[in-house]
Amino acid sequence: MSITNKAYLKVVHSHSDFYILAKPAGLNFHSEDAAGFVVLAEQQLNEKLFAVHRLDKVTSGLLILARNKLAAAKFTRMFTEHTINKFYLAISDAKPKKKQGWIKGDMAKSRRGTFKLLTTTANPAISRFYSVSYKPGFRGYILKPYSGKTHQLRVALKSIGAPILGDTSYAGAHSARTYLHAFALDFLWNEQQIQFTLLPDNGDEFTQLIKHQDFQAWKTPWQLDW
């Protein structure tokens, strides 16, 4: 999926303090050789915006951008305190060591910009997940990170023997896209409950997962037993 400087970003929700937008897979968060997500959003919305969290280039889905410094500081504090619930969808074509539960461990740098999960838990990455077999040989995952480590979910699924489809950096099978998607956000903002979901808009395997009957229970992920 090619991204140009003329890319149009979908605005999922507009609030006086922030926007929730959809990041396409394959778009850098920060500008490198071409304009990144934040710059494109500022150009499209014609205002200064503040990054408060990020998604990897390969990951699609929901992202919050604050519209003022006070909101940015509040979001930064909320992310630090883990009071913003984030839920992700992923797909793997490998058999996992377990089908649901916790994945915990310290993360350390590995080769070529990747990370690995350790057995120690001094400052662990913590994730919880459920999964469903939506067709032979393929499982869909819904994951909730309880910490905010770089590549956390990609490392977590690799650690249970189920690297994300398309995530070749972590031994995933080759695919047209990396099947990791920031699916939902749930948080309290000035006593207002903010809850949004965004289905992936590309990827044949995501399309099949969404059509599976067991996906119905995932449509309101904050209601699952986390």
Side-chain angles (χ1 to χ4, degrees):
M1 183 176 183
S2 62
I3 303 294
T4 70
N5 285 347
K6 295 182 180 179
Y8 177 78
L9 300 174
K10 179 181 179 180
V11 178
V12 177
H13 180 63
S14 177
H15 186 281
S16 58
D17 286 328
F18 60 89
Y19 291 107
I20 299 176
L21 296 102
K23 186 186 100 55
L27 174 61
N28 272 316
F29 184 75
H30 295 296
S31 298
E32 293 182 2
D33 296 333
F37 173 82
V38 178
V39 170
L40 289 175
E42 289 180 329
Q43 292 173 350
Q44 178 177 316
L45 298 165
N46 196 31
E47 63 182 283
K48 172 66 178 173
L49 298 170
F50 301 85
V52 294
H53 67 137
R54 65 181 301 258
L55 292 175
D56 295 337
K57 179 179 180 179
V58 299
T59 308
S60 59
L62 296 174
L63 263 172
I64 301 167
L65 290 176
R67 300 181 68 178
N68 57 71
K69 289 183 178 179
L70 283 176
K74 182 175 179 179
F75 272 119
T76 299
R77 185 169 64 253
M78 291 170 70
F79 275 109
T80 301
E81 295 171 351
H82 308 300
T83 56
I84 296 178
N85 297 308
K86 297 178 291 179
F87 306 91
Y88 290 75
L89 298 176
I91 285 172
S92 178
D93 63 348
K95 186 176 181 179
K97 296 175 185 175
K98 57 182 181 179
K99 297 176 180 178
Q100 67 179 53
W102 296 92
I103 304 172
K104 301 178 183 179
D106 294 326
M107 287 176 56
K109 288 185 177 180
S110 188
R111 298 174 296 171
R112 298 186 300 277
T114 63
F115 295 82
K116 59 185 176 181
L117 199 70
L118 307 178
T119 56
T120 57
T121 55
N123 181 25
I126 302 171
S127 311
R128 192 174 182 190
F129 75 98
Y130 295 95
S131 72
V132 60
S133 175
Y134 66 93
K135 75 176 190 181
F138 287 77
R139 295 193 77 85
Y141 295 79
I142 187 164
L143 306 105
K144 181 182 178 183
Y146 286 81
S147 49
K149 312 287 187 182
T150 301
H151 293 189
Q152 176 173 328
L153 299 179
R154 298 164 67 183
V155 172
L157 284 179
K158 182 178 186 291
S159 77
I160 62 165
I164 295 170
L165 182 64
D167 192 6
T168 54
S169 295
Y170 287 98
H174 283 273
S175 184
R177 68 157 294 177
T178 296
Y179 278 87
L180 181 61
H181 177 77
F183 171 52
L185 289 166
D186 167 38
F187 59 93
L188 201 61
W189 188 263
N190 296 338
E191 299 182 356
Q192 179 187 3
Q193 196 73 38
I194 305 293
Q195 293 177 322
F196 284 96
T197 60
L198 177 72
L199 293 172
D201 64 0
N202 75 321
D204 292 343
E205 296 302 332
F206 273 144
T207 301
Q208 292 185 55
L209 170 64
I210 290 164
K211 290 179 179 177
H212 192 274
Q213 60 183 15
D214 290 349
F215 186 78
Q216 295 299 314
W218 293 3
K219 285 187 173 180
T220 51
W222 41 79
Q223 293 182 347
L224 296 172
D225 182 15
W226 297 103

